[in-house]
Amino acid sequence: MSQLPTDLLYTATHERVRDEGEGIITVRITEHAQAELGDLVFVALPEGEGTAEAGAACAVVASVQAASAIYAPVDGEVTGNNEQLSDSPARIHSDPYGEGWIFTMRISDTGALGELLDADGYAEVIDQ
């Protein structure tokens, strides 16, 4: 596995979070999750904007082998979806740090980001 970016936060359920500032985060799936799933053929984005609780399923990614839920990493409001993934789910693999994002959120409590994993903590999760 490649070196995990240290400027991102992670969840034990394989979401990768970028803090965009001002209470906004961008949610993607980790490279580990991408490798486990294989080539993605479908993405079901969150339905519109609305409240999401930490740990609640917000989206689904599917490959030929399996489907996997994408969970809200923190409490907040979904503020945007990457509609480009509907036509091109492979963007998640081809541009994981750019156009491969899944949804954005305005978080309820910025302190909740402190409960997410750093790169070292996530490395321990995937090494188990």
Side-chain angles (χ1 to χ4, degrees):
M1 163 150 309
S2 64
Q3 183 70 23
L4 293 168
T6 58
D7 62 331
L8 302 174
L9 298 169
Y10 302 86
T11 69
T13 53
H14 311 292
E15 288 81 23
R16 179 173 51 213
V17 176
R18 179 181 303 279
D19 182 358
E20 306 293 352
E22 299 185 20
I24 300 294
I25 60 170
T26 302
V27 180
R28 297 170 163 82
I29 60 172
T30 66
E31 289 176 289
H32 175 79
Q34 292 175 40
E36 292 291 309
L37 287 165
D39 292 335
L40 299 176
V41 296
F42 177 76
V43 177
L45 297 167
E47 292 184 14
E49 297 178 355
T51 320
E53 293 183 18
C58 288
V60 175
V61 292
S63 68
V64 174
Q65 296 97 343
S68 180
I70 308 302
Y71 301 97
V74 293
D75 292 342
E77 178 183 349
V78 173
T79 57
N81 294 311
N82 187 352
E83 297 293 339
Q84 295 176 358
L85 297 179
S86 296
D87 294 330
S88 183
R91 284 181 192 266
I92 290 174
H93 288 298
S94 65
D95 195 6
Y97 298 100
E99 294 300 316
W101 62 278
I102 299 172
F103 62 95
T104 58
M105 292 181 72
R106 177 172 303 282
I107 56 179
S108 299
D109 174 12
T110 55
L113 293 177
E115 297 175 20
L116 300 179
L117 301 168
D118 62 10
D120 290 337
Y122 182 66
E124 290 178 21
V125 168
I126 59 179
D127 286 342
Q128 294 178 357

